[in-house]
Amino acid sequence: MRIEHLSLTNFRNYARLEATLPADKPIVLYGSNAQGKTSLLEAIYYLATSRSPYTTSDRQLIHWRTEGDPLPYARLDAEIHGAGRVDRLELTLMLEQNASAVARFKKVVRLNGVDKRVMDVLGLVRVVLFLPQDLSLVEGSPSDRRRFMNTTLSQVDADYYAALDQYEKILPQRNALLRRLSERRGGSGELAFWDEQLVQAGSILVAQRQRFLRELEMDAQRAHLELTGSQETLTLSYQPSFAPTASDNGQLSFDVLGLDLHRDLNPDAVAPQFADRLRDEEAESIRRGVTLSGPHRDELRLLINGRDAGLYGSRGQARTAVMALKLAELQWMHQRTGEPPILLLDEVIAELDASRRAYLLERIDGSVQSLLTTTELEIFTDSFVERAAVWRVQEGQISAYV
């Protein structure tokens, strides 16, 4: 799977861009800071996920020069080749004013000229994004690691995305009801409807996360052993906010390290236990006005030789663990879909030492469409530059670098 042609209009630095991406070589985006290198990666990521990895406000994606226009908008248009077919995906972001002159943000999605919902086009483009900030997967908050699981799974599993979308809509409704109940407005029986919906969606998330991490861990361990000369072993510890029972023999598979990834869970087994937990915590949840358990409180930890890398690992160990995880993510998507995703690396190479840099560059070839940004072309080996397409990016314009 790859993007053959990318068109951007009023997106970030780009007033207008038309770019044909080579099919058989990595693309190095070279230039000074704030010229548009990262914006190009952001556009591809947005086409894949309908979200930006750099901002929570889609309004910021619209080129600032359109602010005085009567209808400010940005458009992303891509020709996508994959699975024996060619598709055209178009996303338009616009600001409209209602009768009260209040600006309203609108997102329009079209696939081959037909209007679609966002969930209808997820998975059409799949990406793995590697950033220097990805150290947060080791050192950051649990929400960073939940976001990693959600973003990866949503690109390949439509059921997971639908459950996540449902869960994220239901949770605020349940929390609002809990706050009303804490003020003694309404009866606790009103929780039954929201609990049923939350359990249905949340059980899918827990079961699919457990399966995903089990499959991901094998490739991550392999890459990590190679990176460390077989001196260190990486394991993943999935720690749900409640302790689901494995479906095979009824024994608890949750211990101080987390859920045993090598035992199967399914949503039907998780659901009654999640429901029991919500009932057990009902009084405390009402008192505090918040849902205390569920996938929104799950945790994932990375362990090196059995020790939590976020608590006890060095910065070098964290970088190695993240690289292994990202390479495993790339391999996992390929195995699940039959096609490699697009690999996006934003200023990552400069952050790596010589051995990790060489290891990563050896795995970037024509079989995976790859785009890398850099301000320092000399950090790449001559052999890599020779087999890459090097594009200079300057003030929202792209040209071949000679």
mmCIF file of all heavy atoms in Angstrom, residues 4 9 13 40 95 130 139 157 191 259 293 305 335 339 345 384:
data_model
loop_
_atom_site.group_PDB
_atom_site.id
_atom_site.type_symbol
_atom_site.label_atom_id
_atom_site.label_comp_id
_atom_site.label_asym_id
_atom_site.label_seq_id
_atom_site.Cartn_x
_atom_site.Cartn_y
_atom_site.Cartn_z
ATOM 1 N N GLU A 4 0.409 7.294 -4.214
ATOM 2 C CA GLU A 4 1.038 7.596 -5.501
ATOM 3 C C GLU A 4 1.145 9.103 -5.714
ATOM 4 O O GLU A 4 2.169 9.602 -6.184
ATOM 5 C CB GLU A 4 0.217 6.962 -6.625
ATOM 6 C CG GLU A 4 0.668 7.327 -8.036
ATOM 7 C CD GLU A 4 1.934 6.619 -8.456
ATOM 8 O OE1 GLU A 4 2.327 5.652 -7.749
ATOM 9 O OE2 GLU A 4 2.523 7.016 -9.467
ATOM 10 N N THR A 9 -4.016 21.652 -0.305
ATOM 11 C CA THR A 9 -4.444 23.025 -0.532
ATOM 12 C C THR A 9 -4.711 23.688 0.812
ATOM 13 O O THR A 9 -5.514 23.180 1.609
ATOM 14 C CB THR A 9 -5.731 23.074 -1.394
ATOM 15 O OG1 THR A 9 -5.510 22.369 -2.615
ATOM 16 C CG2 THR A 9 -6.123 24.507 -1.693
ATOM 17 N N ASN A 13 1.724 24.734 6.130
ATOM 18 C CA ASN A 13 2.636 25.580 5.368
ATOM 19 C C ASN A 13 2.315 25.634 3.885
ATOM 20 O O ASN A 13 2.838 26.485 3.163
ATOM 21 C CB ASN A 13 4.090 25.069 5.495
ATOM 22 C CG ASN A 13 4.581 25.036 6.912
ATOM 23 O OD1 ASN A 13 3.979 24.395 7.757
ATOM 24 N ND2 ASN A 13 5.679 25.714 7.183
ATOM 25 N N LEU A 40 4.124 17.798 5.879
ATOM 26 C CA LEU A 40 3.862 16.782 4.863
ATOM 27 C C LEU A 40 3.588 15.435 5.518
ATOM 28 O O LEU A 40 2.655 14.714 5.125
ATOM 29 C CB LEU A 40 5.054 16.683 3.905
ATOM 30 C CG LEU A 40 4.851 15.790 2.684
ATOM 31 C CD1 LEU A 40 3.690 16.286 1.835
ATOM 32 C CD2 LEU A 40 6.122 15.735 1.843
ATOM 33 N N LEU A 95 -14.280 26.118 7.751
ATOM 34 C CA LEU A 95 -14.950 26.903 8.770
ATOM 35 C C LEU A 95 -16.138 27.600 8.146
ATOM 36 O O LEU A 95 -15.986 28.380 7.196
ATOM 37 C CB LEU A 95 -13.994 27.933 9.372
ATOM 38 C CG LEU A 95 -12.906 27.398 10.303
ATOM 39 C CD1 LEU A 95 -11.939 28.508 10.681
ATOM 40 C CD2 LEU A 95 -13.530 26.805 11.560
ATOM 41 N N PHE A 130 6.965 7.629 13.699
ATOM 42 C CA PHE A 130 8.044 7.514 14.670
ATOM 43 C C PHE A 130 8.578 8.916 14.925
ATOM 44 O O PHE A 130 9.067 9.588 14.024
ATOM 45 C CB PHE A 130 9.129 6.595 14.101
ATOM 46 C CG PHE A 130 10.147 6.120 15.101
ATOM 47 C CD1 PHE A 130 11.142 5.222 14.706
ATOM 48 C CD2 PHE A 130 10.141 6.530 16.419
ATOM 49 C CE1 PHE A 130 12.088 4.764 15.601
ATOM 50 C CE2 PHE A 130 11.082 6.089 17.333
ATOM 51 C CZ PHE A 130 12.068 5.202 16.913
ATOM 52 N N GLU A 139 8.326 6.673 29.109
ATOM 53 C CA GLU A 139 8.463 7.576 30.248
ATOM 54 C C GLU A 139 7.230 8.428 30.518
ATOM 55 O O GLU A 139 7.144 9.075 31.564
ATOM 56 C CB GLU A 139 9.653 8.516 30.005
ATOM 57 C CG GLU A 139 10.964 7.781 29.775
ATOM 58 C CD GLU A 139 12.084 8.696 29.312
ATOM 59 O OE1 GLU A 139 11.787 9.835 28.882
ATOM 60 O OE2 GLU A 139 13.250 8.282 29.361
ATOM 61 N N ASP A 157 -8.533 -2.549 12.435
ATOM 62 C CA ASP A 157 -9.646 -3.296 13.007
ATOM 63 C C ASP A 157 -10.871 -2.379 13.103
ATOM 64 O O ASP A 157 -10.974 -1.552 14.011
ATOM 65 C CB ASP A 157 -9.262 -3.822 14.397
ATOM 66 C CG ASP A 157 -10.267 -4.806 14.965
ATOM 67 O OD1 ASP A 157 -11.465 -4.688 14.636
ATOM 68 O OD2 ASP A 157 -9.867 -5.692 15.744
ATOM 69 N N LEU A 191 -28.342 4.348 35.812
ATOM 70 C CA LEU A 191 -27.021 3.919 35.357
ATOM 71 C C LEU A 191 -27.083 2.665 34.497
ATOM 72 O O LEU A 191 -26.158 2.401 33.718
ATOM 73 C CB LEU A 191 -26.104 3.653 36.559
ATOM 74 C CG LEU A 191 -25.476 4.869 37.243
ATOM 75 C CD1 LEU A 191 -24.784 4.442 38.526
ATOM 76 C CD2 LEU A 191 -24.490 5.551 36.304
ATOM 77 N N LEU A 259 -1.630 -8.467 32.898
ATOM 78 C CA LEU A 259 -2.402 -9.551 32.307
ATOM 79 C C LEU A 259 -1.490 -10.443 31.476
ATOM 80 O O LEU A 259 -0.713 -9.968 30.655
ATOM 81 C CB LEU A 259 -3.502 -8.954 31.433
ATOM 82 C CG LEU A 259 -4.518 -9.920 30.823
ATOM 83 C CD1 LEU A 259 -5.306 -10.618 31.901
ATOM 84 C CD2 LEU A 259 -5.455 -9.147 29.908
ATOM 85 N N SER A 293 -13.341 2.492 36.672
ATOM 86 C CA SER A 293 -12.706 1.370 35.967
ATOM 87 C C SER A 293 -13.164 1.333 34.518
ATOM 88 O O SER A 293 -14.254 1.774 34.179
ATOM 89 C CB SER A 293 -13.044 0.035 36.643
ATOM 90 O OG SER A 293 -12.456 -0.058 37.914
ATOM 91 N N ASN A 305 14.329 -6.814 30.967
ATOM 92 C CA ASN A 305 14.815 -7.824 31.920
ATOM 93 C C ASN A 305 13.962 -7.836 33.187
ATOM 94 O O ASN A 305 14.472 -7.969 34.312
ATOM 95 C CB ASN A 305 16.280 -7.589 32.271
ATOM 96 C CG ASN A 305 17.211 -7.857 31.099
ATOM 97 O OD1 ASN A 305 16.829 -8.524 30.128
ATOM 98 N ND2 ASN A 305 18.421 -7.343 31.161
ATOM 99 N N GLN A 335 1.582 -7.975 8.784
ATOM 100 C CA GLN A 335 1.063 -9.331 8.967
ATOM 101 C C GLN A 335 -0.459 -9.357 9.015
ATOM 102 O O GLN A 335 -1.093 -10.257 8.456
ATOM 103 C CB GLN A 335 1.647 -9.940 10.249
ATOM 104 C CG GLN A 335 3.140 -10.215 10.174
ATOM 105 C CD GLN A 335 3.733 -10.565 11.526
ATOM 106 O OE1 GLN A 335 3.141 -10.311 12.582
ATOM 107 N NE2 GLN A 335 4.920 -11.137 11.519
ATOM 108 N N GLU A 339 -0.238 -6.051 3.708
ATOM 109 C CA GLU A 339 0.473 -4.960 3.047
ATOM 110 C C GLU A 339 1.228 -4.140 4.085
ATOM 111 O O GLU A 339 0.695 -3.875 5.170
ATOM 112 C CB GLU A 339 -0.504 -4.032 2.320
ATOM 113 C CG GLU A 339 -1.271 -4.676 1.188
ATOM 114 C CD GLU A 339 -2.246 -3.702 0.560
ATOM 115 O OE1 GLU A 339 -2.881 -2.928 1.308
ATOM 116 O OE2 GLU A 339 -2.368 -3.712 -0.667
ATOM 117 N N LEU A 345 9.009 9.044 9.606
ATOM 118 C CA LEU A 345 10.003 9.305 10.639
ATOM 119 C C LEU A 345 10.316 10.794 10.667
ATOM 120 O O LEU A 345 10.882 11.323 9.710
ATOM 121 C CB LEU A 345 11.283 8.501 10.381
ATOM 122 C CG LEU A 345 11.115 6.985 10.343
ATOM 123 C CD1 LEU A 345 11.100 6.484 8.901
ATOM 124 C CD2 LEU A 345 12.228 6.280 11.102
ATOM 125 N N PHE A 384 22.759 5.197 1.637
ATOM 126 C CA PHE A 384 21.328 5.438 1.820
ATOM 127 C C PHE A 384 20.868 6.613 0.961
ATOM 128 O O PHE A 384 19.811 6.549 0.313
ATOM 129 C CB PHE A 384 21.011 5.700 3.290
ATOM 130 C CG PHE A 384 19.540 5.896 3.553
ATOM 131 C CD1 PHE A 384 18.692 4.814 3.696
ATOM 132 C CD2 PHE A 384 18.994 7.171 3.631
ATOM 133 C CE1 PHE A 384 17.333 4.992 3.921
ATOM 134 C CE2 PHE A 384 17.640 7.361 3.853
ATOM 135 C CZ PHE A 384 16.819 6.263 3.995
#
